[in-house]
C-alpha cells in the first residue's frame, strides 16, 4: 500500500516570516472537533453517552483505533471510537460511522480541490507539488489520479442523459485532434463535439465522442446517439465544411438549414492563392461577409466572384463551392448573424481544452480525452454563456433570399 505521509518532502518558504500562528492554531483544533462529531454519532447509535450507566442500550463500546484523514485542513490522525451494536436477532455487528465512511482517506472538499487543480492545466506530479504545503505533503501522484477519476461516474451518467427536454434549436458541430497513448504508442484521435443552443439562448454541451477521424460514419454515429436520446431536429446546424459531416447531416436531416463556417471558408480561399494576395483576398472577403444587409452581401459576393475569376480563378471556385450554405445566416434576424456565421463557440472550447492539456505530452487513454473535456465544463473551469441575438430565437428563418447567379 502506498505511503501517503511524505515527511521528507521539501517544504517551501520555511523562514519565520511565513509562519502563520492563526492557521496553525485552527488546524490544531481540527482533530478534537472531528472526534467530537464521531462521539456524538456513536452516542446517538447507542442511545446513551460514553459514561452513562442507566436506561436501555443498543450495544457497547470497545476502544478506539487510529485513522488518518486528509482534508483542506491538512493531514490529521484521529482516534475513532469502536462499538458493537445489537441487532433484532440478538447478534452484534461492528458499528460503522457515517462521518468518515470506510476506506475514505480524503474529504470530498479535498478531492474537489485536487481535481480542480488538475483541470486547471497541470499534471499529477505538479498537482502534488503545488498542493504539498496545503496538505502537509500527504498526497502522492496516485492520490491525485484517484481523486480525478472519481468524476468518471458522473461522466458516464452524463453520456446517457435524456435530451428530450432541452428544446435545442441550434446545433454546432466540430472536431479536434488530440494525442493519446494507445497500445503504448502516441496516437492522434479526433474528438467530435456537439454543442447545442436552447430556445432561451443558453449554450449546452450535448455530446463528446473519440473517433479515428471525422468521416461520415463517425459523425453519423454521434448524431444517431443524440437522436436516440431524444434530440429533435434542430432549426439550424452550423458546421466547419467537412464533407463527412455534411453527408451525415444530409442523410439524417435533409431539410434542416446548414451554415458553413465563414472562418473556415476564409482559410480555404487563402489556401488556393499565392501568399502575396492574402491581404487583398481577406479584405474583399471580410467586406462581403460582414456587410450590413443581405442586399449588400449579395452585391459584394457577385463583385468578389467577378474580380477573382480574373485574378485567381481557384479562389472564386472555392467560394462558389460553398454555395448558399455559406450565407444561410442571412435568413435569420441580423442580431443573430454574429453567432451563426462561425463555429467559434466550439473553437473556443477547443482552445481552452488544448491550453489545459499542453503540460502533458499525451493523454493516458482515449476515454480520458473526452472525460477531461467534459469535466472542464462540469467543474466550472469553462463556462458557457448565451448566444448573441438569443432574444429573437423564436423568429422562424426566411426562405433563401440570395441570388447565387453572378
Amino acid at each position: 500500500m502506498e505511503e501517503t505521509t511524505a515527511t521528507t518532502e521539501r517544504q517551501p518558504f520555511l523562514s519565520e516570516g511565513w509562519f502563520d500562528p492563526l492557521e496553525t492554531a485552527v488546524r490544531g483544533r481540527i482533530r478534537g472537533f472531528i472526534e467530537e462529531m464521531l462521539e456524538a454519532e456513536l452516542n446517538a447509535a447507542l442511545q446513551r453517552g460514553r459514561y452513562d450507566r442507566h436506561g436501555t442500550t443498543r450495544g457497547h463500546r470497545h476502544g478506539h483505533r487510529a485513522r488518518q484523514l486528509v482534508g483542506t485542513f491538512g493531514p490529521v490522525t484521529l482516534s475513532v471510537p469502536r462499538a458493537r451494536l445489537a441487532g433484532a436477532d440478538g447478534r452484534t455487528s461492528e458499528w460503522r460511522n457515517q462521518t468518515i465512511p470506510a476506506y475514505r482517506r480524503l474529504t470530498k472538499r479535498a478531492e474537489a480541490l485536487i481535481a480542480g487543480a488538475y483541470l486547471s492545466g497541470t499534471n499529477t506530479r505538479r498537482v502534488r507539488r503545488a498542493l504539498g504545503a496545503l496538505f502537509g505533503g500527504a498526497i502522492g501522484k496516485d492520490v491525485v489520479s484517484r481523486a480525478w477519476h472519481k468524476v468518471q461516474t458522473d461522466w458516464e451518467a452524463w453520456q446517457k442523459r435524456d435530451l428530450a427536454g432541452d428544446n435545442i434549436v441550434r446545433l454546432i458541430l466540430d472536431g479536434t485532434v488530440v494525442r493519446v497513448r494507445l497500445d503504448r504508442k502516441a496516437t492522434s484521435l479526433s474528438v467530435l463535439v456537439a454543442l447545442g443552443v436552447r430556445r432561451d439562448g443558453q449554450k449546452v454541451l450535448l455530446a463528446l465522442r473519440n473517433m479515428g477521424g471525422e468521416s461520415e460514419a463517425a459523425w453519423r454515429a454521434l448524431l444517431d446517439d443524440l437522436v436516440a436520446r431524444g434530440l429533435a431536429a434542430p432549426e439550424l446546424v452550423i458546421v466547419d465544411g467537412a464533407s463527412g459531416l455534411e453527408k451525415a447531416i444530409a442523410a439524417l436531416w435533409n431539410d434542416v438549414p446548414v451554415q458553413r463556417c465563414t472562418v473556415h471558408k476564409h482559410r480555404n480561399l487563402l489556401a488556393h492563392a499565392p501568399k502575396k494576395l492574402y491581404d487583398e483576398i481577406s479584405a474583399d472577403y471580410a467586406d462581403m461577409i460582414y456587410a450590413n444587409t443581405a442586399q449588400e452581401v449579395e452585391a459584394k459576393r457577385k463583385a468578389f466572384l467577378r474580380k477573382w475569376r480574373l485574378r485567381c480563378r481557384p479562389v472564386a471556385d472555392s467560394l462558389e463551392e460553398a454555395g448558399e450554405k455559406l450565407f444561410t445566416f442571412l435568413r435569420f434576424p441580423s442580431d443573430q448573424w454574429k453567432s451563426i456565421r462561425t463555429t467559434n463557440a466550439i473553437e473556443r472550447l477547443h482552445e481552452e481544452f488544448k491550453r489545459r492539456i499542453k503540460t502533458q505530452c499525451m493523454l493516458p487513454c482515449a476515454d480520458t480525452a473526452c472525460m477531461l473535456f467534459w469535466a472542464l465544463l462540469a467543474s466550472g473551469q469553462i463556462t458557457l454563456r448565451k448566444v448573441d441575438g438569443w432574444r429573437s430565437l423564436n423568429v422562424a428563418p426566411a426562405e433563401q433570399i440570395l441570388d447565387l447567379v453572378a
Side-chain angles (χ1 to χ4, degrees):
M1 184 175 66
E2 179 194 5
E3 177 62 47
T4 58
T5 305
T7 56
T8 60
E9 186 163 332
R10 187 180 67 86
Q11 297 296 314
F13 307 125
L14 293 179
S15 66
E16 293 184 0
W18 291 96
F19 176 73
D20 188 347
L22 175 62
E23 182 82 11
T24 302
V26 170
R27 291 195 178 197
R29 293 180 178 270
I30 290 294
R31 174 179 176 175
F33 178 73
I34 297 176
E35 290 177 349
E36 287 177 8
M37 292 177 63
L38 292 169
E39 290 290 347
E41 184 181 344
L42 180 56
N43 290 343
L46 294 176
Q47 297 182 346
R48 66 180 178 86
R50 184 171 184 178
Y51 297 108
D52 291 346
R53 293 291 183 270
H54 60 278
T56 60
T57 180
R58 296 184 55 194
H60 63 276
R61 299 169 183 269
H62 64 102
H64 294 74
R65 62 186 177 88
R67 183 170 174 186
Q68 187 181 61
L69 179 70
V70 178
T72 55
F73 43 78
V76 59
T77 300
L78 304 169
S79 180
V80 179
R82 302 181 66 186
R84 296 194 68 83
L85 302 180
D89 58 356
R91 297 182 179 181
T92 62
S93 59
E94 185 73 17
W95 171 71
R96 297 184 181 279
N97 73 83
Q98 300 301 313
T99 303
I100 310 175
Y103 308 110
R104 178 173 290 280
R105 299 179 182 179
L106 293 172
T107 64
K108 291 183 178 180
R109 177 71 65 160
E111 289 176 342
L113 179 61
I114 292 171
Y118 180 79
L119 290 170
S120 66
T122 186
N123 56 34
T124 54
R125 289 179 176 82
R126 290 181 180 178
V127 171
R128 178 193 62 185
R129 295 167 187 163
L131 300 180
L134 176 63
F135 293 117
I139 59 170
K141 63 181 181 64
D142 291 339
V143 176
V144 178
S145 296
R146 285 196 298 269
W148 152 241
H149 282 298
K150 284 185 178 293
V151 305
Q152 186 167 3
T153 301
D154 292 339
W155 156 245
E156 292 173 351
W158 178 85
Q159 293 182 90
K160 301 175 182 178
R161 78 196 189 288
D162 183 29
L163 300 176
D166 277 353
N167 194 15
I168 300 298
V169 297
R170 189 184 299 174
L171 192 61
I172 311 171
L173 303 170
D174 197 9
T176 189
V177 177
V178 296
R179 300 278 286 174
V180 302
R181 185 180 293 110
L182 190 63
D183 293 334
R184 304 185 191 181
K185 295 181 180 180
T187 305
S188 295
L189 288 180
S190 293
V191 175
L192 309 186
V193 184
L195 189 69
V197 178
R198 292 175 178 153
R199 180 69 66 180
D200 62 0
Q202 179 61 51
K203 288 178 287 191
V204 55
L205 186 64
L206 298 177
L208 291 162
R209 181 167 292 201
N210 60 72
M211 290 290 187
E214 295 191 48
S215 64
E216 178 183 356
W219 277 111
R220 186 61 192 267
L222 182 142
L223 294 175
D224 285 343
D225 176 66
L226 291 177
V227 172
R229 291 193 281 129
L231 180 70
E235 297 176 3
L236 174 68
V237 180
I238 305 173
V239 300
D240 61 358
S243 60
L245 174 54
E246 292 199 4
K247 290 177 181 177
I249 294 171
L252 184 62
W253 298 312
N254 190 38
D255 56 344
V256 172
V258 175
Q259 169 67 47
R260 289 272 295 269
C261 176
T262 57
V263 172
H264 283 81
K265 175 48 68 175
H266 177 223
R267 296 171 188 161
N268 294 153
L269 296 181
L270 298 181
H272 287 82
K275 193 171 183 179
K276 66 179 182 179
L277 297 178
Y278 281 9
D279 291 343
E280 191 174 355
I281 293 173
S282 298
D284 290 347
Y285 182 77
D287 195 36
M288 170 185 62
I289 291 296
Y290 298 109
N292 295 323
T293 65
Q295 291 74 21
E296 290 183 27
V297 172
E298 181 178 355
K300 291 178 179 180
R301 176 183 177 276
K302 292 178 179 179
F304 185 98
L305 291 173
R306 286 194 298 267
K307 174 180 177 178
W308 290 104
R309 278 179 185 149
L310 298 174
R311 296 285 306 281
C312 186
R313 188 173 185 85
V315 172
D317 291 342
S318 179
L319 182 66
E320 285 190 304
E321 176 273 330
E324 65 180 25
K325 292 181 180 179
L326 190 64
F327 303 96
T328 303
F329 68 90
L330 297 175
R331 299 171 57 182
F332 294 82
S334 58
D335 60 344
Q336 296 185 35
W337 290 3
K338 180 179 179 181
S339 61
I340 293 177
R341 279 190 293 242
T342 70
T343 57
N344 278 358
I346 288 185
E347 294 291 345
R348 293 181 64 185
L349 294 182
H350 292 336
E351 291 175 3
E352 290 295 317
F353 177 54
K354 295 291 182 65
R355 184 172 68 84
R356 283 165 170 77
I357 66 173
K358 68 181 179 181
T359 57
Q360 306 178 50
C361 297
M362 68 186 78
L363 295 174
C365 66
D367 292 337
T368 299
C370 290
M371 186 167 65
L372 179 56
F373 196 118
W374 166 80
L376 290 171
L377 284 95
S379 65
Q381 296 279 341
I382 299 176
T383 57
L384 298 174
R385 63 176 182 85
K386 290 187 175 183
V387 297
D388 293 324
W390 62 270
R391 290 182 176 83
S392 61
L393 283 177
N394 60 331
V395 178
E399 295 299 325
Q400 177 63 39
I401 59 176
L402 191 67
D403 181 8
L404 295 179
V405 179

